[in-house]
Amino acid sequence: MKLPLSGRALTAGAVAVATLVTGGSAAGAATAPAPAHPAATAAAAPDIPIANVKAHLSQLQSIATANGGNRAHGRAGYQASLNYVKAKLDAAGFTTRVQQFTASGRTGYNLIADWPGGDANQVVMVGSHLDSVTSGPGINDNGSGSSAVLETALAVARSDYRPTKHLRFAWWGAEELGLVGSRYYVNSLGSAERAKISGYLNFDMIGSPNPGYFVYDDDPTIEKTFKDYYAGLGIPTEIETEGDGRSDHAPFKNAGVPVGGLFSGADYRKTSAQAAKWGGTVGQPFDRCYHSSCDTTANINDTALDRNSDAIAYAVWELSQ
């Protein structure tokens, strides 16, 4: 998650003309029978293996360690992170493309992955930012969201899921500089293309070590989907306020696209009421390593990461009918 405006360099006008590089391949598996009704499909959303999500986090940690301790925009660690995610998606049968832009004098990249099939006039889009700050490896912020979105996409491929709507996944660059990559993507779409996106789901910091369970309240249908999931687990949620306008849903929302998402907290401190609901430590930040060098694989709460990863899959299956 990016810093508030007062705590980061402004990047207005920093994005230059970009090019698109296409790649990947379409899946060739046979079409599965249509589900009887949406509820059946929602119930069939797969459990996302936490071991798989953590394996992706370990890879991102190794990439950061090998590249100066970070995966920041314009650095080798970001490029290696993008290559890792893209290779997984290409092998799984997604059609991928890399969108290039320039910010703060460095080249940045977005990765877009489309699952073949579904109504191209109704697109459910799922995204997270892949870059870290320069001061650390960014494993919770935002390796957690990036890895859970990746594993959800791979679960789509493993199950040969054939939704009614078209599924698109994205990993954004230069979020930490001010939502640069996601804003560039949204601005690159014509009004007709933006109108085809029926919803954008954003996941930024979902494994905080002293976690909360926060749900974006931007679009009522998406909000209810996540709240229903957590109600089914008997876990209370709160409306997400700490990250309003500070992550990659903002450019979509500003363009009129319905948005939603999940968040487990950053540098706000957990109240006694929140600790009574969720456990954890009163008076301590949700993530004491936010934007710091200690945001490593040791900075993850496995239970929160597991629950939020499963919630992502539930929402993808539920909203793509």
Side-chain angles (χ1 to χ4, degrees):
M1 177 175 292
K2 74 175 180 67
L3 288 167
L5 186 62
S6 60
R8 60 180 172 82
L10 295 175
T11 58
V15 179
V17 177
T19 59
L20 294 181
V21 181
T22 59
S25 59
T31 301
H37 50 78
T41 299
D47 178 80
I48 300 300
I50 184 65
N52 292 7
V53 180
K54 292 190 71 177
H56 300 317
L57 289 177
S58 293
Q59 289 296 318
L60 295 179
Q61 176 69 67
S62 296
I63 286 169
T65 301
N67 291 280
N70 68 74
R71 301 179 302 99
H73 163 72
R75 310 296 179 93
Y78 181 79
Q79 183 68 68
S81 299
L82 184 141
N83 291 344
Y84 170 77
V85 175
K86 186 177 186 300
K88 292 287 187 182
L89 295 164
D90 287 341
F94 282 83
T95 300
T96 62
R97 61 188 176 104
V98 175
Q99 187 179 48
Q100 181 177 313
F101 58 87
T102 301
S104 298
R106 293 176 180 264
T107 302
Y109 305 94
N110 295 325
L111 174 62
I112 314 298
D114 286 88
W115 181 239
D119 184 353
N121 291 313
Q122 298 184 80
V123 178
V124 173
M125 196 164 181
V126 186
S128 58
H129 77 87
L130 187 57
D131 63 316
S132 74
V133 291
T134 57
S135 57
I139 297 304
N140 187 39
D141 184 16
N142 183 36
S144 61
S146 293
S147 295
V149 170
L150 172 58
E151 193 56 32
T152 299
L154 297 179
V156 166
R158 284 194 299 268
S159 64
D160 193 29
Y161 181 42
R162 299 293 168 171
T164 301
K165 297 178 183 178
H166 181 75
L167 287 177
R168 180 174 300 151
F169 297 84
W171 290 262
W172 308 116
E175 188 268 0
E176 298 290 5
L177 298 186
L179 320 180
V180 179
S182 56
R183 183 177 292 111
Y184 182 83
Y185 174 81
V186 172
N187 289 343
S188 75
L189 300 175
S191 58
E193 289 301 309
R194 287 196 296 269
K196 293 177 182 178
I197 303 175
S198 60
Y200 171 73
L201 312 181
N202 192 65
F203 304 99
D204 188 353
M205 303 181 65
I206 61 168
S208 301
N210 190 27
Y213 292 90
F214 299 100
V215 176
Y216 296 13
D217 65 343
D218 300 281
D219 177 76
T221 299
I222 299 173
E223 178 187 0
K224 184 177 185 300
T225 301
F226 287 120
K227 284 185 171 180
D228 286 350
Y229 177 80
Y230 274 104
L233 297 181
I235 297 172
T237 59
E238 289 186 10
I239 297 303
E240 197 285 306
T241 58
E242 182 179 2
D244 270 0
R246 291 173 56 188
S247 194
D248 293 299
H249 59 292
F252 288 88
K253 181 179 179 179
N254 292 340
V257 175
V259 302
L262 299 173
F263 178 57
S264 58
D267 54 358
Y268 283 19
R269 294 179 182 272
K270 182 172 281 186
T271 67
S272 57
Q274 290 170 331
K277 287 190 293 189
W278 300 323
T281 306
V282 177
Q284 291 298 311
F286 294 102
D287 184 356
R288 65 179 182 82
C289 290
Y290 176 61
H291 282 185
S292 300
S293 60
C294 59
D295 187 10
T296 66
T297 50
N299 190 47
I300 291 290
N301 181 284
D302 286 1
T303 300
L305 183 66
D306 191 16
R307 288 169 173 169
N308 284 321
S309 297
D310 289 340
I312 294 171
Y314 175 84
V316 167
W317 260 252
E318 180 76 12
L319 295 169
S320 60
Q321 296 309 303

